[in-house]
Amino acid sequence: MIRRSILILLMLLLILAAGLVTAIFIFRHPTPLEFQQATADKPVRLPRDETAHFDAQTEWWYYTGFLDGEGGQQYGFELVFFKAYVPAEVRLANLFPLMLSNNPIYFAHFAISDQSVGEHVYFEQVNFPEFWDAGASEDHFEVWNGDWRAWDSDGNTFLEAGGGQYRMLLALWPLQSPVLHGAEGAGVVEMGQAGASYYYSEPDLAGAGHLYVDGEQQAVNASAWMDHQWGSWDAHDGYAGWDWFSLRLDDGSRVMLFEFRDKDGTIQPGSAGTWMAADGSAYHLTGEDFAIEALEHWTSPDTGGTYPIKWQVTVPDHGLDAIVEATFPEQEMPIEFGPIYWEGTVIISGTASGSGFVELTGYAQ
């Protein structure tokens, strides 16, 4: 009787294992034999490229912005969804290749910065080992991780995420057409020795919705910026970190700038940006067309990373000579899955005023 019970248990375990393996191969996307490379002869095409690209090694949809409450409250928010293939050498217990079950792997970050009290909170979700609990669509824009979602319906984008005392529900709509970055306006951006990526932005989104704080609902108006970037660059080749600026000027202009740094802090030649005028026209910026000088720094008590938090930013051909400063320093993201980074709200003063976000990577180990 005992032997029979053991056999029945073993059979049930084998059936369960077979079901799990079948589910893995039904729900996962097989790792491509060759990853897609970003090239100008295959430019970004919208709305086709709003959706997921499973032939690209890495992809993300990035939302940053501000929420204005009906009672005068102001918050910054970040919601980003990542999709990336795990290299074959990453193994569980040094035996089982993770790529067999979780390729691609999905992870997401959500952060709220309360501008009135200078408080920043962040949350992350990863779909390992629950590979079925996250995904992205190839035929329409929808990406999700657990109960965090971003999706399109009738030309509007909807965002839903929550963590701790916060939960956010937003509807966003564009005030301008998307902007394709890169020297040829094709949405292809060079990333130095690391390769190239596809990259476009919706830099002028308006919206409305609700922010729940400790269960209490606040009606909010939103202004936001969306970045969609994908490709098969080598993140470990040619640079040690980057500084990225998304600046929303009060005259309606928008500015995107990024600088790649090597291990000794030298800015790489591939650094570039885009000037987006209020009338919707866009102008590519090379690294020689702008200058970013750090004026003040802050050291994180949590990670020991030292970040610039105040800069002088100049774009001479477009008349910009501005001070860009963090609204408060404590906006670091010491996440568990992925590199530690700083992503925070900034204010702009000088020849132009406005607000925006800055992202800093490679400053903390």
Side-chain angles (χ1 to χ4, degrees), residues 120 294-311 326 328-334 340-343 360 363-364:
H120 176 263
L295 303 177
E296 293 183 12
H297 293 78
W298 167 78
T299 298
S300 166
D302 296 322
T303 67
T306 296
Y307 299 89
I309 56 166
K310 184 177 181 179
W311 306 261
F328 59 96
E330 296 85 358
Q331 299 182 75
E332 186 185 35
M333 302 278 289
I340 296 169
Y341 65 102
W342 191 98
E343 181 102 20
L360 309 168
Y363 291 95

Side-chain angles (χ1 to χ4, degrees), residues 4-73:
R4 182 180 179 185
S5 298
I6 293 174
L7 288 174
I8 292 174
L9 179 60
L10 289 174
M11 289 179 61
L12 290 174
L13 289 175
L14 287 172
I15 292 171
L16 180 62
L20 180 60
V21 170
T22 301
I24 286 173
F25 284 95
I26 290 176
F27 286 101
R28 70 184 281 275
H29 281 264
T31 304
L33 296 177
E34 184 176 352
F35 287 115
Q36 175 196 34
Q37 300 298 322
T39 58
D41 62 336
K42 295 180 180 179
V44 171
R45 291 284 184 263
L46 299 174
R48 177 195 68 187
D49 284 323
E50 295 175 349
T51 61
H53 301 81
F54 286 99
D55 54 357
Q57 188 171 22
T58 304
E59 185 166 22
W60 59 64
W61 296 263
Y62 228 106
Y63 293 88
T64 55
F66 292 89
L67 306 175
D68 294 312
E70 55 189 355
Q73 309 94 331

Side-chain angles (χ1 to χ4, degrees), residues 69-131:
E70 55 189 355
Q73 309 94 331
Q74 188 177 64
Y75 305 89
F77 78 89
E78 172 197 354
L79 179 60
V80 56
F81 295 89
F82 299 93
K83 173 179 67 63
Y85 285 95
V86 182
E89 60 269 19
V90 178
R91 295 171 177 264
L92 293 176
N94 293 321
L95 295 173
F96 181 75
L98 187 59
M99 63 179 289
L100 292 181
S101 64
N102 276 71
N103 244 12
I105 194 167
Y106 297 87
F107 49 105
H109 302 159
F110 172 56
I112 292 286
S113 55
D114 186 331
Q115 302 296 296
S116 63
V117 298
E119 180 182 64
H120 176 263
V121 295
Y122 68 93
F123 311 92
E124 62 179 315
Q125 294 197 151
V126 182
N127 76 314
F128 177 79
E130 298 175 342
F131 59 88

